[in-house]
Amino acid sequence: MFRLSVASVLLIVSAAVFGSDVRAPSPVKFRISGTVVNAISGQPLSKIQVSVGPAVSPAASQTITTGEDGHFQFNDLSRGKYWLLAEGRGFSAQRFDQHEQFSTAIAVGPGLSSEGLIFRLSPDATIVGTITDEQNEAVAEARVMLFRTGVQNGAASTQILNQAQTDDQGHYHLSHVPPGTYYVAVSARPWYADNRPRRGLRETISDRGSIGKSSETQPDPQFDVTYPITFYPGVTDPSAATALTLNQGDRLVVDLAMTAVQCVPLRLSDPSIQPNQGFNANIAENVFGMSFPVATAVNVLGPGEVEVSGLAPGHYSINLQTFGKTPVSREQQVDLSDDSEISMANSATAPSIKGIVTMEDGRPLPRNLNVILFSRNEQNLTAQTSANGEFEMPPQFTRPGKYQVAVFGSPGMFLKSVSATGASLTARELNVVGGAVVNLKMIVSQGTGRIDGTALRDNKPFAGAMIVLVPQDIEHNSLLVRRDQSDSDGTFSLYDVLPGSYTVVAIQNGWDLQWLNPEVLRPYLKTGTAVTVAARGRYDIKVTVQ
């Protein structure tokens, strides 16, 4: 029989009576504090809204507004990592030490420094201006495009960053523009333009491919005009455009005058064009390596012939699609300087790209996977898999070029292997030529890996370094790259790493580096940290900051 001693009974009674005095120790709380300053002048910034939130969640847990001294402080924080975000009048939302889409999280806990931070906030830059015509009259509803040129995501490129539309006074405003080098381009149409076809036509086809009856009224040739895409300071050749350098806080005034030019009629002939069958004639203009559709009117002249109106002289790509018994898609590049007739019959047909995705272990494929072909020069191609894993890229968008192959849509899934017929394949890069019939066989598997690590300089944790996971043959495997920025305690994490062999490098000032260029990256690889990742593998490494 189990018995309690008198001492034991007294101890239990005492604990019951005075239980309020027998407590578990309170969890230790931590603090993040600092000062928001102007990144240019270093002056403290007041009335700036600062938010903090757990690194694993986008939701803010606390938000405050800085006073005259720019100070901010967040109390009662549990051990962990937190992001900081600040914004205010003249300062767009920015995370702490932000570079591209990366930033430094603040680690709080015993022995970690999370107070006295200096949050350098970059003031917004702005581009404003007025678009006018040759009579100095306002051009309303003009599309103003801002192209950023320089190193972006590890490669030199020119990409469209933002765009705006002019008001009825011709004014436009591009705000929250980060520092960099830019080109300004304008696309517009004269309000008085009449770009109907010049010849007696029986049927018309819109830029979406729908057919209808044409007007019998003939347009006045003097109104058959348009504006070519015009670049600052008023040129139509992109190579002659003036680059604009924008620094933090700048406000540039960029005015531009448009000059209307006579349209050049273009006639396309192809035996597959039939008035009673659907077809598309898509016209695009190349601007800094990107294709921009041109609004045109496409009219049926008769079997095998159409006319395209509304084009300025210039260089265009033509994609003609017909949807008869034997669908045809043809591509051709043309230079228009005057009235032109182009035969599409002998043009290269657009490539056909299709294939099938299967699971490595033979299990049913997850629903609605996306097969994506990434291209740096043309638009990316995307197709969704059917129930049995088959896919086909939209024929109206396929173009010759180099594409890197990937599959997305299921957590932890990765493309293990790919083979191709009808196109050459180097690692994961597909080289597609015009007219090719490409078939892909793709095998996917489950179990991506993760790499955690610490960036070190002089054997001490280093914050703000750019971390790059470099695959073998990065030139043809750039989709395998993973990046991060080291946090305040020097740590970083690389997620969804595909099985394979890699080198991890940490670079102090690498954000403007053309790290996708193997020759540029080669010196850093010598002192990087090698790691071989297995499916579902977890790794903890140390990397020396260079």
Side-chain angles (χ1 to χ4, degrees):
M1 183 176 180
F2 180 74
R3 297 181 178 180
L4 293 175
S5 67
V6 174
S8 299
V9 172
L10 291 176
L11 180 61
I12 294 173
V13 172
S14 176
V17 174
F18 303 104
S20 58
D21 293 328
V22 182
R23 301 174 180 173
S26 300
V28 178
K29 295 295 184 179
F30 301 94
R31 180 166 57 195
I32 294 177
S33 66
T35 304
V36 181
V37 302
N38 186 309
I40 298 176
S41 65
Q43 293 298 310
L45 295 173
S46 63
K47 299 180 180 179
I48 296 295
Q49 183 174 282
V50 184
S51 301
V52 67
V56 295
S57 170
S61 56
Q62 298 183 49
T63 300
I64 63 170
T65 301
T66 61
E68 292 298 323
D69 59 357
H71 184 71
F72 64 89
Q73 181 171 303
F74 299 106
N75 300 313
D76 299 323
L77 299 175
S78 300
R79 180 175 181 172
K81 286 185 178 182
Y82 296 84
W83 53 258
L84 288 177
L85 181 114
E87 60 184 319
R89 184 179 179 86
F91 297 85
S92 57
Q94 300 163 50
R95 292 206 174 191
F96 186 79
D97 194 23
Q98 182 169 339
H99 300 94
E100 299 173 0
Q101 69 269 36
F102 301 96
S103 61
T104 290
I106 308 303
V108 300
L112 296 175
S113 176
S114 59
E115 298 193 53
L117 304 174
I118 302 299
F119 197 147
R120 295 176 176 84
L121 210 57
S122 298
D124 292 339
T126 304
I127 297 178
V128 299
T130 304
I131 308 302
T132 57
D133 62 15
E134 56 267 65
Q135 303 300 322
N136 204 33
E137 298 289 336
V139 177
E141 298 183 356
R143 179 188 181 194
V144 182
M145 297 172 286
L146 185 65
F147 293 86
R148 185 174 187 178
T149 186
V151 177
Q152 302 172 70
N153 293 315
S157 64
T158 300
Q159 303 288 335
I160 188 166
L161 177 75
N162 200 356
Q163 54 187 314
Q165 190 175 61
T166 58
D167 60 20
D168 57 0
Q169 301 298 310
H171 302 316
Y172 73 92
H173 186 275
L174 293 163
S175 58
H176 307 309
V177 182
T181 303
Y182 295 92
Y183 295 104
V184 173
V186 181
S187 174
R189 183 175 181 271
W191 64 268
Y192 54 85
D194 185 354
N195 300 135
R196 289 176 297 161
R198 301 179 187 180
R199 298 170 60 176
L201 306 173
R202 295 192 295 275
E203 293 181 304
T204 65
I205 178 168
S206 72
D207 56 0
R208 293 187 178 182
S210 59
I211 297 176
K213 295 297 181 182
S214 65
S215 169
E216 296 297 329
T217 304
Q218 296 300 305
D220 187 333
Q222 69 175 323
F223 297 124
D224 186 18
V225 295
T226 191
Y227 293 131
I229 292 180
T230 305
F231 304 84
Y232 180 80
V235 297
T236 57
D237 182 356
S239 64
T242 295
L244 302 168
T245 300
L246 200 63
N247 297 309
Q248 295 175 348
D250 281 354
R251 184 179 187 274
L252 292 185
V253 178
V254 181
D255 299 329
L256 202 148
M258 309 288 287
T259 301
V261 298
Q262 197 73 33
C263 288
V264 179
L266 170 65
R267 286 179 298 282
L268 303 177
S269 62
D270 191 300
S272 64
I273 300 173
Q274 297 298 323
N276 61 344
Q277 296 175 343
F279 68 91
N280 285 329
N282 300 305
I283 313 297
E285 189 167 6
N286 186 290
V287 181
F288 296 125
M290 290 165 280
S291 293
F292 285 83
V294 179
T296 58
V298 182
N299 289 38
V300 179
L301 298 175
E305 191 174 17
V306 297
E307 182 179 74
V308 181
S309 58
L311 293 172
H315 182 83
Y316 299 93
S317 63
I318 302 171
N319 176 240
L320 179 68
Q321 295 174 286
T322 60
F323 306 108
K325 292 182 179 180
T326 305
V328 174
S329 179
R330 304 189 194 279
E331 291 275 347
Q332 188 164 333
Q333 303 289 319
V334 298
D335 286 299
L336 299 182
S337 57
D338 52 21
D339 195 335
S340 301
E341 183 167 353
I342 303 295
S343 172
M344 299 292 292
N346 297 320
S347 301
T349 56
S352 166
I353 306 176
K354 61 180 65 175
I356 187 168
V357 182
T358 58
M359 288 286 292
E360 180 186 29
D361 57 9
R363 288 184 300 165
L365 200 69
R367 295 173 59 88
N368 301 328
L369 288 180
N370 288 314
V371 178
I372 304 180
L373 303 185
F374 288 90
S375 171
R376 284 194 168 270
N377 299 321
E378 293 288 344
Q379 64 185 8
N380 298 328
L381 303 175
T382 303
Q384 199 169 74
T385 58
S386 64
N388 63 356
E390 294 181 346
F391 66 90
E392 181 174 5
M393 295 298 166
Q396 66 269 34
F397 298 125
T398 58
R399 301 286 186 273
K402 293 182 178 181
Y403 300 89
Q404 291 203 24
V405 186
V407 177
F408 294 97
S410 181
M413 176 168 285
F414 64 93
L415 177 61
K416 183 168 185 178
S417 66
V418 57
S419 60
T421 59
S424 61
L425 187 67
T426 303
R428 294 170 186 263
E429 187 174 80
L430 192 68
N431 189 5
V432 181
V433 299
V437 177
V438 181
N439 278 282
L440 301 176
K441 290 185 178 180
M442 309 169 75
I443 298 175
V444 295
S445 188
Q446 290 279 359
T448 54
R450 171 175 167 175
I451 300 174
D452 296 300
T454 305
L456 301 173
R457 166 68 64 84
D458 298 328
N459 292 320
K460 296 179 181 179
F462 187 91
M466 184 180 77
I467 310 298
V468 186
L469 177 77
V470 185
Q472 294 179 334
D473 190 10
I474 187 174
E475 184 177 0
H476 302 102
N477 286 293
S478 61
L479 290 181
L480 303 185
V481 169
R482 301 292 182 266
R483 282 198 298 162
D484 196 13
Q485 181 171 320
S486 59
D487 295 328
S488 64
D489 60 352
T491 61
F492 60 87
S493 294
L494 302 167
Y495 300 93
D496 296 322
V497 180
L498 275 64
S501 297
Y502 301 88
T503 301
V504 180
V505 298
I507 306 174
Q508 180 176 353
N509 296 306
W511 303 102
D512 293 327
L513 194 70
Q514 294 188 49
W515 50 265
L516 272 179
N517 184 331
E519 293 304 315
V520 172
L521 199 56
R522 194 181 310 280
Y524 297 94
L525 295 176
K526 295 178 181 178
T527 53
T529 300
V531 58
T532 299
V533 177
R536 297 182 177 86
R538 294 287 297 269
Y539 306 88
D540 195 336
I541 65 174
K542 299 185 185 302
V543 186
T544 300
V545 177
Q546 303 180 60

